[in-house]
Amino acid sequence: MNESPQNRAECDIPFQVNGKLVAVRVYPMERLLDVLREELGLTGTKEGCGEGECGSCAVLMDGALVNSCLIPVLQAKGAKITTIEGLARGEQLHALQQAFLDCGGAQCGICTPGMILAAYHLLSTKPQPSLEDIREGLSGNLCRCTGYEQIVEAVAKVGRRGSGG
Amino acid sequence: MSTDRIVGQPVPRLEGRDKVTGQARYVDDIELPGMLFGATVRSRVPRGKITKITFGAEVDWREFVIVSAKDIPGKNCIALIDDDEPCLAEGMVNHPEEPILLLAHPDRRLLPHAVEALSVEYEPLPAIFSIEESEQQSQIIWGTDNVFKSYLIEKGDVDAVWEKAAYIVEGEYRTGAQEQLYIENNGMIAAFDPQQGVTVWGSMQCPYYVHKSLVKLCNLPPERVRVVQTETGGAFGGKEDYPSMIAGHAALLAMKSGRPVKIIYDRMEDMAATTKRHPSRTRHRTAVSKDGKILGGEIEFTIDGGAYETLSPVVLSRGAIHAGGAYYWPNIRIRAKAVATNTPPQGAFRGFGAPQSLFALERHMDRIAQVVQLSPVEIRRRNLLKPGETTTTGQSVSEAIDLRKLLDRALRLSDYAAKKERFARENRGGNRKKGIGIASFLHGAGFTGSGERYLSSVVGVEGRTDGSVRVLVSSTEFGQGTNTVLCQIVAEALQLRYEDVGIAQPDTQEVPNSGPTVASRTVMVVGKLVQSAALGIRQTLEASGLLGARYSPEEFRAAVRAYVAKNGKLQSLARYEQPEDVVWDDQKYRGSAYAAFAWAVYVAEVTVDLTTCSVSVDDFVALQEVGRVLHPILATGQIVGGIAQGIGFALYEKVIWDKGRMQNGQMTNYIIPTSADLAPIRVYFEELGNVHGAYGAKGIGELPMDGPAPAVINAVEDALGVPFDSIPLLPEDIFDAVTRKAGRESISSVAEDGR
Amino acid sequence: MRARPADYELVAPGTLSAVLSLLAQEPGEWLPIAGGTDVMVQYSAGTLPARKLVSIWSLPELRQIEVTPSEVRVGAGCTFADLRQHEIVGREFALLAKAAGWTGGIANQNRGTLGGNIINGSPAADSLPALLVYEAELVLVSVKGERRVPYGDFHTDYRKTQLAPDELVRSVCLSRRFSGYYAHARKVGARNAQAISKVCLAALGRLADGVVDDVRLAMGSVAPVPLRLRETERTVKGRRIEPELIQVASRAAAAEIRPIDDIRSTARYRTAVAGNLVAEFLERLSVAGPAQK
């Protein structure tokens, strides 16, 4: 049998995701990214690099933007996590999601969940960001399709309206 | 055009809502019951004979499914153009990362550990890693001479021009490998059922390419192989042929285990093992008249294809045909070849040979300008093609394109003249030097020459039981807008609402083969077929008496419902027919290479900070004639995205090789621009129409890849007065050149005979 | 993802004293992990040697910033975001706040900690040159108590520090005496964001009657450890900033550093750029310095 020689134990880790309390029984060093995707079936959060460089795995943890591929799930115990699935209110898209659709901010879509959350986080700290603020705020999220232009436009659109927090 | 209600409008991206809500399902989001995970054991040497494989004692191998070349039911190859690339190495390896064995296990986390526990021993053989080493032929690693393919393109009598030339200008230009870096890594899921055969789902551009290769590999009849494309997170050519390899691997594991198998690469594996843009070397020798007109030239264009042939002949073809660019060459000889090295096979990347040869040409035009003492603007003005003139392959420019006017407009939009003058003045002092550079170019859309005829694409449009209409194509969406634009076309053709039209998921069981999603052909070629098939549906309904000449969308819907209820099926197919005026000679490599060219002039403004020798692109004007803009937001998105990749190609993206293996296969170390690195890119379109394209559209997906690198490097030379002929151009390279300026080596040589 | 979670143990005792007890009981056995922005990258790549980890993320004792009249004590568990948001850090220790904004993207700044940056010991870490010029002191803590060490001596070799196996960094102490200095920092990376530095400079200078009264220069990515350029400082101290002096200082910097060729850059380039960065600082100091009073 290919059991781990160290025979570590799984543990119960409760936390909140998108407003709901969840509890998983997993190894403490499972990445939060994998727990979200595999245990909880929330596949909206993506893995692009596994090194915290591309931002596709970004989620909000207690209001802060973080790369879930770099977080051991034990450290998420008791935290409030928001994933892309938690942004829309039923059928009603969040203003950022709508703006991404209006402006062409999503092409292949793989960077989009992390990018939208990064934008959400930016607007929560700077409700009316300058274009430079936007570019800096999103600089931890790599996009290969858009060249960023239409993403920045989408975020600026929401920022101007001041309705993005 | 103004009567078009949907084409030309920024309708919402068809699958956009799923993408912004995280509902879109990419291959790694999908799970099948009883699914195993697969991994690949790869070569650690560039070339050698496999002498021993040891399965480490720390792993219980009984739990694993293990597949080797011996398990391949059909032919051990990834069928593409020729069948030289093995699916699994058998005895010999010819590049680092070459697949040798496959493993599968229910525990995904156990696999990397197992891969490490497997050791392969080799008897190494001498390996080669560069174009020059390959040409030396001291080691023959492929065929009889290391040459995958060569082409000769000739026009006029180039040997006679040298003695007439007032100037002879030479140059050598190089481009490096470039990694596509789609943010979604390659992945496949395969399942096998003895009755139904093999099914694969995954990230890909070309379902029927995968289908063809699985048929051969698995020794199954075509109807027992089914390929389905899942939502694909970026491709750019990097998922044109490689998916056949990974699909083959997953299929073999599924066949042996009887369970579904998922293989997803992590970033390090994807970067190191899969295809990249072919490195290139281009040598120019050009005869120029006293007043700066090109009399003729010789171009030697060589690309490094890696260890196996894969797509190299086609990349070579496009690169060779584009090597003369948008200028009139009365006489030319282009010798092109693709050579083998012991590196992972290279493949398709947006532009497909043209960014390489056009980089060389556009740099060379600036060199010619210097020698002839004309400005970069003037040298282009005097040589750009005019309607009625012929390209390097003898194709007549048959549309009313005025390239000089296009050039002028780009110069106006970029404030070129004033900036050039101001920069020259301001550069005299200080540490920050500014420059402005131009690239004028073209890109042929669709498959080259007889390629489209050979593909013989078929599309379908069907009416459904609920009265809606659906597009049936194997053309895939991977961000560029396939779904949206094809549905726009049908809605426009049938006078329906955009919401009335859908598109089937590309599934070889459900859709005909509309050809691969490559070569900027989808909107132009496939779109036109889709338009035609849509009209076929209407004709059928009219002929059946269910539809009048004028109708509302609701009436159409009712007619479809009625027809399907009565007849069971409503489907219209359209097959590609080569237009009569597109004639190509495959033997002589002459004639109409492409049904349509898009034309462009790009202008880049840069600052070089000599404190660090870093280059920033401060302004970028992209002006292109594209036939017709079918969707303004999608079209602009394609241009901006392509330019970002082109700037990366020029200034940031370096593959660091060590004995054939990529050393910087992490996103930390392979550098693409972030949002903080790119200035706003200003995009402008002109529309001349295109009889060979849907609603007048030309293909634009690859066009924006061709111009940025030479425009940027031309600008850097303008800023520093030092030539750079190799990309990527990193600050370290600029530093080396600037400090070496006194003893500068340059391949450029000039012969002026005083006439 | 090349690590097998089943092979690892991670515990989170929740208080500093509990963590210290664990480290004392089994010194060298437990790898502390704070924000994980370095450890988890190694883990994912399958190259993390440690199998037992103890979480020190967000321990209240470590994640606070204490301000006294004479010094600011930054808890080692403060994130780079915490540093960027702190008013006094921004005002009096601008080089540190600036470096915090260079360290990865926003998501990594929300998790990466100053203590982690220090202990990871990479000479390329953005915030370490700032700590050198501010002549920070570290408070190290174990079950035996606290000790205070000058940061300048803390890095002993490439990725090696003075930290004992049972110790943690508790806080980084910054003396509040730099308001009168002209502060300048520049990082040279492969791109504008999310770049490991090829060279970076943190510098403080003060002029008195047009003469350099004090100058502090520190660089990253030019030696096995973050480097304080004391030789170069000596060439400048007490002198007037003139073109010739700038050249001398620039050359001294190039001679004092020991950069290498690596995957990111070359020794030759780093050497030249280091000299240029020092020159740039001195030029700016000569213009802005007098205004600092």
Side-chain angles (χ1 to χ4, degrees), chain B residues 266 609 611-612 672 676-677 732 736, chain C residues 2 186 191-192 198 265 268-269 272 276:
Chain B
D266 68 13
D609 180 346
T611 309
T612 59
I672 68 168
D677 293 293
E732 286 78 359
D736 282 345
Chain C
R2 300 185 180 195
R186 186 159 174 187
R191 57 189 174 193
N192 291 341
K198 298 180 183 185
S265 190
R268 192 163 176 265
Y269 174 82
N276 291 347

mmCIF file with all atom_site columns, all heavy atoms in Angstrom, chain B residues 266 609 611-612 672 676-677 732 736, chain C residues 2 186 191-192 198 265 268-269 272 276:
data_model
loop_
_atom_site.group_PDB
_atom_site.id
_atom_site.type_symbol
_atom_site.label_atom_id
_atom_site.label_alt_id
_atom_site.label_comp_id
_atom_site.label_asym_id
_atom_site.label_entity_id
_atom_site.label_seq_id
_atom_site.pdbx_PDB_ins_code
_atom_site.Cartn_x
_atom_site.Cartn_y
_atom_site.Cartn_z
_atom_site.occupancy
_atom_site.B_iso_or_equiv
_atom_site.pdbx_formal_charge
_atom_site.auth_seq_id
_atom_site.auth_comp_id
_atom_site.auth_asym_id
_atom_site.auth_atom_id
_atom_site.pdbx_PDB_model_num
ATOM 1   N N   . ASP B 1 266 ? 1.256  20.441 -14.780 1.00 0.00 ? 266 ASP B N   1
ATOM 2   C CA  . ASP B 1 266 ? 1.475  21.652 -14.011 1.00 0.00 ? 266 ASP B CA  1
ATOM 3   C C   . ASP B 1 266 ? 2.349  22.590 -14.853 1.00 0.00 ? 266 ASP B C   1
ATOM 4   O O   . ASP B 1 266 ? 2.816  22.213 -15.937 1.00 0.00 ? 266 ASP B O   1
ATOM 5   C CB  . ASP B 1 266 ? 2.048  21.363 -12.616 1.00 0.00 ? 266 ASP B CB  1
ATOM 6   C CG  . ASP B 1 266 ? 3.476  20.828 -12.631 1.00 0.00 ? 266 ASP B CG  1
ATOM 7   O OD1 . ASP B 1 266 ? 4.158  20.881 -13.680 1.00 0.00 ? 266 ASP B OD1 1
ATOM 8   O OD2 . ASP B 1 266 ? 3.917  20.345 -11.576 1.00 0.00 ? 266 ASP B OD2 1
ATOM 9   N N   . ASP B 1 609 ? 16.025 53.784 -20.618 1.00 0.00 ? 609 ASP B N   1
ATOM 10  C CA  . ASP B 1 609 ? 16.647 54.428 -19.465 1.00 0.00 ? 609 ASP B CA  1
ATOM 11  C C   . ASP B 1 609 ? 18.052 53.869 -19.332 1.00 0.00 ? 609 ASP B C   1
ATOM 12  O O   . ASP B 1 609 ? 18.232 52.711 -18.965 1.00 0.00 ? 609 ASP B O   1
ATOM 13  C CB  . ASP B 1 609 ? 15.804 54.115 -18.217 1.00 0.00 ? 609 ASP B CB  1
ATOM 14  C CG  . ASP B 1 609 ? 16.375 54.754 -16.967 1.00 0.00 ? 609 ASP B CG  1
ATOM 15  O OD1 . ASP B 1 609 ? 17.542 55.213 -16.986 1.00 0.00 ? 609 ASP B OD1 1
ATOM 16  O OD2 . ASP B 1 609 ? 15.659 54.791 -15.962 1.00 0.00 ? 609 ASP B OD2 1
ATOM 17  N N   . THR B 1 611 ? 20.265 54.247 -17.251 1.00 0.00 ? 611 THR B N   1
ATOM 18  C CA  . THR B 1 611 ? 20.698 53.824 -15.914 1.00 0.00 ? 611 THR B CA  1
ATOM 19  C C   . THR B 1 611 ? 20.618 52.300 -15.790 1.00 0.00 ? 611 THR B C   1
ATOM 20  O O   . THR B 1 611 ? 21.451 51.674 -15.145 1.00 0.00 ? 611 THR B O   1
ATOM 21  C CB  . THR B 1 611 ? 19.796 54.458 -14.839 1.00 0.00 ? 611 THR B CB  1
ATOM 22  O OG1 . THR B 1 611 ? 19.724 55.853 -15.081 1.00 0.00 ? 611 THR B OG1 1
ATOM 23  C CG2 . THR B 1 611 ? 20.331 54.209 -13.440 1.00 0.00 ? 611 THR B CG2 1
ATOM 24  N N   . THR B 1 612 ? 19.578 51.767 -16.405 1.00 0.00 ? 612 THR B N   1
ATOM 25  C CA  . THR B 1 612 ? 19.341 50.326 -16.296 1.00 0.00 ? 612 THR B CA  1
ATOM 26  C C   . THR B 1 612 ? 19.258 49.638 -17.661 1.00 0.00 ? 612 THR B C   1
ATOM 27  O O   . THR B 1 612 ? 19.129 48.428 -17.732 1.00 0.00 ? 612 THR B O   1
ATOM 28  C CB  . THR B 1 612 ? 18.004 50.058 -15.584 1.00 0.00 ? 612 THR B CB  1
ATOM 29  O OG1 . THR B 1 612 ? 16.975 50.695 -16.361 1.00 0.00 ? 612 THR B OG1 1
ATOM 30  C CG2 . THR B 1 612 ? 17.993 50.619 -14.176 1.00 0.00 ? 612 THR B CG2 1
ATOM 31  N N   . ILE B 1 672 ? 6.431  37.627 -18.772 1.00 0.00 ? 672 ILE B N   1
ATOM 32  C CA  . ILE B 1 672 ? 5.492  38.278 -19.692 1.00 0.00 ? 672 ILE B CA  1
ATOM 33  C C   . ILE B 1 672 ? 5.055  39.591 -19.038 1.00 0.00 ? 672 ILE B C   1
ATOM 34  O O   . ILE B 1 672 ? 5.156  39.738 -17.817 1.00 0.00 ? 672 ILE B O   1
ATOM 35  C CB  . ILE B 1 672 ? 4.256  37.407 -20.026 1.00 0.00 ? 672 ILE B CB  1
ATOM 36  C CG1 . ILE B 1 672 ? 3.346  37.206 -18.808 1.00 0.00 ? 672 ILE B CG1 1
ATOM 37  C CG2 . ILE B 1 672 ? 4.672  36.088 -20.645 1.00 0.00 ? 672 ILE B CG2 1
ATOM 38  C CD1 . ILE B 1 672 ? 1.987  36.613 -19.168 1.00 0.00 ? 672 ILE B CD1 1
ATOM 39  N N   . ALA B 1 676 ? 1.044  46.464 -15.229 1.00 0.00 ? 676 ALA B N   1
ATOM 40  C CA  . ALA B 1 676 ? 1.862  47.637 -14.906 1.00 0.00 ? 676 ALA B CA  1
ATOM 41  C C   . ALA B 1 676 ? 2.970  47.866 -15.925 1.00 0.00 ? 676 ALA B C   1
ATOM 42  O O   . ALA B 1 676 ? 3.714  48.833 -15.822 1.00 0.00 ? 676 ALA B O   1
ATOM 43  C CB  . ALA B 1 676 ? 2.470  47.466 -13.512 1.00 0.00 ? 676 ALA B CB  1
ATOM 44  N N   . ASP B 1 677 ? 3.088  47.001 -16.897 1.00 0.00 ? 677 ASP B N   1
ATOM 45  C CA  . ASP B 1 677 ? 4.179  47.112 -17.867 1.00 0.00 ? 677 ASP B CA  1
ATOM 46  C C   . ASP B 1 677 ? 3.748  47.646 -19.217 1.00 0.00 ? 677 ASP B C   1
ATOM 47  O O   . ASP B 1 677 ? 4.587  47.992 -20.041 1.00 0.00 ? 677 ASP B O   1
ATOM 48  C CB  . ASP B 1 677 ? 4.836  45.736 -18.082 1.00 0.00 ? 677 ASP B CB  1
ATOM 49  C CG  . ASP B 1 677 ? 5.551  45.263 -16.837 1.00 0.00 ? 677 ASP B CG  1
ATOM 50  O OD1 . ASP B 1 677 ? 6.554  45.896 -16.473 1.00 0.00 ? 677 ASP B OD1 1
ATOM 51  O OD2 . ASP B 1 677 ? 5.072  44.297 -16.224 1.00 0.00 ? 677 ASP B OD2 1
ATOM 52  N N   . GLU B 1 732 ? 20.203 43.593 -20.431 1.00 0.00 ? 732 GLU B N   1
ATOM 53  C CA  . GLU B 1 732 ? 21.595 43.122 -20.419 1.00 0.00 ? 732 GLU B CA  1
ATOM 54  C C   . GLU B 1 732 ? 22.210 43.173 -21.817 1.00 0.00 ? 732 GLU B C   1
ATOM 55  O O   . GLU B 1 732 ? 23.390 43.471 -21.983 1.00 0.00 ? 732 GLU B O   1
ATOM 56  C CB  . GLU B 1 732 ? 21.666 41.679 -19.876 1.00 0.00 ? 732 GLU B CB  1
ATOM 57  C CG  . GLU B 1 732 ? 21.470 41.535 -18.373 1.00 0.00 ? 732 GLU B CG  1
ATOM 58  C CD  . GLU B 1 732 ? 20.009 41.621 -17.938 1.00 0.00 ? 732 GLU B CD  1
ATOM 59  O OE1 . GLU B 1 732 ? 19.134 41.817 -18.801 1.00 0.00 ? 732 GLU B OE1 1
ATOM 60  O OE2 . GLU B 1 732 ? 19.762 41.512 -16.725 1.00 0.00 ? 732 GLU B OE2 1
ATOM 61  N N   . ASP B 1 736 ? 25.325 45.463 -23.011 1.00 0.00 ? 736 ASP B N   1
ATOM 62  C CA  . ASP B 1 736 ? 26.512 44.919 -23.673 1.00 0.00 ? 736 ASP B CA  1
ATOM 63  C C   . ASP B 1 736 ? 26.799 45.674 -24.969 1.00 0.00 ? 736 ASP B C   1
ATOM 64  O O   . ASP B 1 736 ? 27.944 45.996 -25.272 1.00 0.00 ? 736 ASP B O   1
ATOM 65  C CB  . ASP B 1 736 ? 26.318 43.432 -23.992 1.00 0.00 ? 736 ASP B CB  1
ATOM 66  C CG  . ASP B 1 736 ? 26.511 42.551 -22.759 1.00 0.00 ? 736 ASP B CG  1
ATOM 67  O OD1 . ASP B 1 736 ? 27.060 43.058 -21.759 1.00 0.00 ? 736 ASP B OD1 1
ATOM 68  O OD2 . ASP B 1 736 ? 26.118 41.372 -22.806 1.00 0.00 ? 736 ASP B OD2 1
ATOM 69  N N   . ARG C 2 2   ? 3.581  19.303 -6.710  1.00 0.00 ? 2   ARG C N   1
ATOM 70  C CA  . ARG C 2 2   ? 4.411  18.091 -6.650  1.00 0.00 ? 2   ARG C CA  1
ATOM 71  C C   . ARG C 2 2   ? 4.638  17.588 -5.241  1.00 0.00 ? 2   ARG C C   1
ATOM 72  O O   . ARG C 2 2   ? 5.497  16.737 -5.019  1.00 0.00 ? 2   ARG C O   1
ATOM 73  C CB  . ARG C 2 2   ? 5.738  18.359 -7.357  1.00 0.00 ? 2   ARG C CB  1
ATOM 74  C CG  . ARG C 2 2   ? 5.480  18.729 -8.809  1.00 0.00 ? 2   ARG C CG  1
ATOM 75  C CD  . ARG C 2 2   ? 6.713  18.903 -9.624  1.00 0.00 ? 2   ARG C CD  1
ATOM 76  N NE  . ARG C 2 2   ? 6.309  19.249 -10.995 1.00 0.00 ? 2   ARG C NE  1
ATOM 77  C CZ  . ARG C 2 2   ? 7.102  19.212 -12.048 1.00 0.00 ? 2   ARG C CZ  1
ATOM 78  N NH1 . ARG C 2 2   ? 8.357  18.837 -11.910 1.00 0.00 ? 2   ARG C NH1 1
ATOM 79  N NH2 . ARG C 2 2   ? 6.651  19.548 -13.248 1.00 0.00 ? 2   ARG C NH2 1
ATOM 80  N N   . ARG C 2 186 ? 15.515 52.282 -5.318  1.00 0.00 ? 186 ARG C N   1
ATOM 81  C CA  . ARG C 2 186 ? 15.169 51.872 -6.678  1.00 0.00 ? 186 ARG C CA  1
ATOM 82  C C   . ARG C 2 186 ? 15.423 50.389 -6.830  1.00 0.00 ? 186 ARG C C   1
ATOM 83  O O   . ARG C 2 186 ? 16.440 49.875 -6.397  1.00 0.00 ? 186 ARG C O   1
ATOM 84  C CB  . ARG C 2 186 ? 15.976 52.650 -7.705  1.00 0.00 ? 186 ARG C CB  1
ATOM 85  C CG  . ARG C 2 186 ? 15.525 52.332 -9.112  1.00 0.00 ? 186 ARG C CG  1
ATOM 86  C CD  . ARG C 2 186 ? 15.904 53.399 -10.084 1.00 0.00 ? 186 ARG C CD  1
ATOM 87  N NE  . ARG C 2 186 ? 15.569 52.959 -11.444 1.00 0.00 ? 186 ARG C NE  1
ATOM 88  C CZ  . ARG C 2 186 ? 15.893 53.594 -12.550 1.00 0.00 ? 186 ARG C CZ  1
ATOM 89  N NH1 . ARG C 2 186 ? 16.585 54.712 -12.479 1.00 0.00 ? 186 ARG C NH1 1
ATOM 90  N NH2 . ARG C 2 186 ? 15.552 53.127 -13.734 1.00 0.00 ? 186 ARG C NH2 1
ATOM 91  N N   . ARG C 2 191 ? 10.528 43.278 -14.929 1.00 0.00 ? 191 ARG C N   1
ATOM 92  C CA  . ARG C 2 191 ? 9.316  43.992 -15.311 1.00 0.00 ? 191 ARG C CA  1
ATOM 93  C C   . ARG C 2 191 ? 8.900  44.863 -14.145 1.00 0.00 ? 191 ARG C C   1
ATOM 94  O O   . ARG C 2 191 ? 9.539  44.813 -13.081 1.00 0.00 ? 191 ARG C O   1
ATOM 95  C CB  . ARG C 2 191 ? 8.203  43.010 -15.700 1.00 0.00 ? 191 ARG C CB  1
ATOM 96  C CG  . ARG C 2 191 ? 7.853  42.015 -14.615 1.00 0.00 ? 191 ARG C CG  1
ATOM 97  C CD  . ARG C 2 191 ? 6.898  40.929 -15.124 1.00 0.00 ? 191 ARG C CD  1
ATOM 98  N NE  . ARG C 2 191 ? 6.705  39.925 -14.094 1.00 0.00 ? 191 ARG C NE  1
ATOM 99  C CZ  . ARG C 2 191 ? 6.138  38.735 -14.305 1.00 0.00 ? 191 ARG C CZ  1
ATOM 100 N NH1 . ARG C 2 191 ? 5.733  38.391 -15.510 1.00 0.00 ? 191 ARG C NH1 1
ATOM 101 N NH2 . ARG C 2 191 ? 6.011  37.878 -13.306 1.00 0.00 ? 191 ARG C NH2 1
ATOM 102 N N   . ASN C 2 192 ? 7.839  45.648 -14.318 1.00 0.00 ? 192 ASN C N   1
ATOM 103 C CA  . ASN C 2 192 ? 7.493  46.645 -13.311 1.00 0.00 ? 192 ASN C CA  1
ATOM 104 C C   . ASN C 2 192 ? 6.833  46.094 -12.068 1.00 0.00 ? 192 ASN C C   1
ATOM 105 O O   . ASN C 2 192 ? 6.724  46.783 -11.059 1.00 0.00 ? 192 ASN C O   1
ATOM 106 C CB  . ASN C 2 192 ? 6.568  47.714 -13.928 1.00 0.00 ? 192 ASN C CB  1
ATOM 107 C CG  . ASN C 2 192 ? 7.307  48.573 -14.930 1.00 0.00 ? 192 ASN C CG  1
ATOM 108 O OD1 . ASN C 2 192 ? 8.528  48.623 -14.930 1.00 0.00 ? 192 ASN C OD1 1
ATOM 109 N ND2 . ASN C 2 192 ? 6.562  49.231 -15.794 1.00 0.00 ? 192 ASN C ND2 1
ATOM 110 N N   . LYS C 2 198 ? 17.014 42.308 -9.898  1.00 0.00 ? 198 LYS C N   1
ATOM 111 C CA  . LYS C 2 198 ? 18.335 42.035 -10.453 1.00 0.00 ? 198 LYS C CA  1
ATOM 112 C C   . LYS C 2 198 ? 19.357 42.814 -9.624  1.00 0.00 ? 198 LYS C C   1
ATOM 113 O O   . LYS C 2 198 ? 20.480 42.366 -9.407  1.00 0.00 ? 198 LYS C O   1
ATOM 114 C CB  . LYS C 2 198 ? 18.409 42.506 -11.899 1.00 0.00 ? 198 LYS C CB  1
ATOM 115 C CG  . LYS C 2 198 ? 17.438 41.808 -12.834 1.00 0.00 ? 198 LYS C CG  1
ATOM 116 C CD  . LYS C 2 198 ? 17.615 42.366 -14.237 1.00 0.00 ? 198 LYS C CD  1
ATOM 117 C CE  . LYS C 2 198 ? 16.623 41.770 -15.202 1.00 0.00 ? 198 LYS C CE  1
ATOM 118 N NZ  . LYS C 2 198 ? 16.890 42.242 -16.580 1.00 0.00 ? 198 LYS C NZ  1
ATOM 119 N N   . SER C 2 265 ? 20.039 37.547 -14.566 1.00 0.00 ? 265 SER C N   1
ATOM 120 C CA  . SER C 2 265 ? 20.872 38.635 -15.078 1.00 0.00 ? 265 SER C CA  1
ATOM 121 C C   . SER C 2 265 ? 22.338 38.226 -15.067 1.00 0.00 ? 265 SER C C   1
ATOM 122 O O   . SER C 2 265 ? 22.677 37.092 -14.759 1.00 0.00 ? 265 SER C O   1
ATOM 123 C CB  . SER C 2 265 ? 20.648 39.889 -14.223 1.00 0.00 ? 265 SER C CB  1
ATOM 124 O OG  . SER C 2 265 ? 21.266 41.016 -14.821 1.00 0.00 ? 265 SER C OG  1
ATOM 125 N N   . ARG C 2 268 ? 28.110 41.321 -14.956 1.00 0.00 ? 268 ARG C N   1
ATOM 126 C CA  . ARG C 2 268 ? 28.568 42.520 -15.652 1.00 0.00 ? 268 ARG C CA  1
ATOM 127 C C   . ARG C 2 268 ? 27.495 43.614 -15.622 1.00 0.00 ? 268 ARG C C   1
ATOM 128 O O   . ARG C 2 268 ? 27.762 44.772 -15.332 1.00 0.00 ? 268 ARG C O   1
ATOM 129 C CB  . ARG C 2 268 ? 28.877 42.097 -17.094 1.00 0.00 ? 268 ARG C CB  1
ATOM 130 C CG  . ARG C 2 268 ? 29.622 43.105 -17.868 1.00 0.00 ? 268 ARG C CG  1
ATOM 131 C CD  . ARG C 2 268 ? 30.269 42.524 -19.129 1.00 0.00 ? 268 ARG C CD  1
ATOM 132 N NE  . ARG C 2 268 ? 30.876 43.642 -19.829 1.00 0.00 ? 268 ARG C NE  1
ATOM 133 C CZ  . ARG C 2 268 ? 30.299 44.322 -20.818 1.00 0.00 ? 268 ARG C CZ  1
ATOM 134 N NH1 . ARG C 2 268 ? 29.134 43.951 -21.266 1.00 0.00 ? 268 ARG C NH1 1
ATOM 135 N NH2 . ARG C 2 268 ? 30.896 45.362 -21.359 1.00 0.00 ? 268 ARG C NH2 1
ATOM 136 N N   . TYR C 2 269 ? 26.290 43.218 -15.938 1.00 0.00 ? 269 TYR C N   1
ATOM 137 C CA  . TYR C 2 269 ? 25.163 44.151 -15.945 1.00 0.00 ? 269 TYR C CA  1
ATOM 138 C C   . TYR C 2 269 ? 24.892 44.674 -14.546 1.00 0.00 ? 269 TYR C C   1
ATOM 139 O O   . TYR C 2 269 ? 24.746 45.879 -14.327 1.00 0.00 ? 269 TYR C O   1
ATOM 140 C CB  . TYR C 2 269 ? 23.925 43.453 -16.509 1.00 0.00 ? 269 TYR C CB  1
ATOM 141 C CG  . TYR C 2 269 ? 22.655 44.259 -16.445 1.00 0.00 ? 269 TYR C CG  1
ATOM 142 C CD1 . TYR C 2 269 ? 22.362 45.221 -17.405 1.00 0.00 ? 269 TYR C CD1 1
ATOM 143 C CD2 . TYR C 2 269 ? 21.736 44.048 -15.414 1.00 0.00 ? 269 TYR C CD2 1
ATOM 144 C CE1 . TYR C 2 269 ? 21.192 45.956 -17.344 1.00 0.00 ? 269 TYR C CE1 1
ATOM 145 C CE2 . TYR C 2 269 ? 20.558 44.782 -15.348 1.00 0.00 ? 269 TYR C CE2 1
ATOM 146 C CZ  . TYR C 2 269 ? 20.283 45.734 -16.324 1.00 0.00 ? 269 TYR C CZ  1
ATOM 147 O OH  . TYR C 2 269 ? 19.118 46.453 -16.253 1.00 0.00 ? 269 TYR C OH  1
ATOM 148 N N   . ALA C 2 272 ? 27.470 47.247 -13.400 1.00 0.00 ? 272 ALA C N   1
ATOM 149 C CA  . ALA C 2 272 ? 27.310 48.566 -14.012 1.00 0.00 ? 272 ALA C CA  1
ATOM 150 C C   . ALA C 2 272 ? 26.074 49.278 -13.474 1.00 0.00 ? 272 ALA C C   1
ATOM 151 O O   . ALA C 2 272 ? 26.109 50.471 -13.157 1.00 0.00 ? 272 ALA C O   1
ATOM 152 C CB  . ALA C 2 272 ? 27.209 48.423 -15.529 1.00 0.00 ? 272 ALA C CB  1
ATOM 153 N N   . ASN C 2 276 ? 25.494 52.819 -11.485 1.00 0.00 ? 276 ASN C N   1
ATOM 154 C CA  . ASN C 2 276 ? 24.555 53.840 -11.978 1.00 0.00 ? 276 ASN C CA  1
ATOM 155 C C   . ASN C 2 276 ? 23.543 54.232 -10.912 1.00 0.00 ? 276 ASN C C   1
ATOM 156 O O   . ASN C 2 276 ? 23.171 55.401 -10.789 1.00 0.00 ? 276 ASN C O   1
ATOM 157 C CB  . ASN C 2 276 ? 23.804 53.321 -13.207 1.00 0.00 ? 276 ASN C CB  1
ATOM 158 C CG  . ASN C 2 276 ? 24.696 53.177 -14.419 1.00 0.00 ? 276 ASN C CG  1
ATOM 159 O OD1 . ASN C 2 276 ? 25.825 53.681 -14.428 1.00 0.00 ? 276 ASN C OD1 1
ATOM 160 N ND2 . ASN C 2 276 ? 24.216 52.490 -15.439 1.00 0.00 ? 276 ASN C ND2 1
#
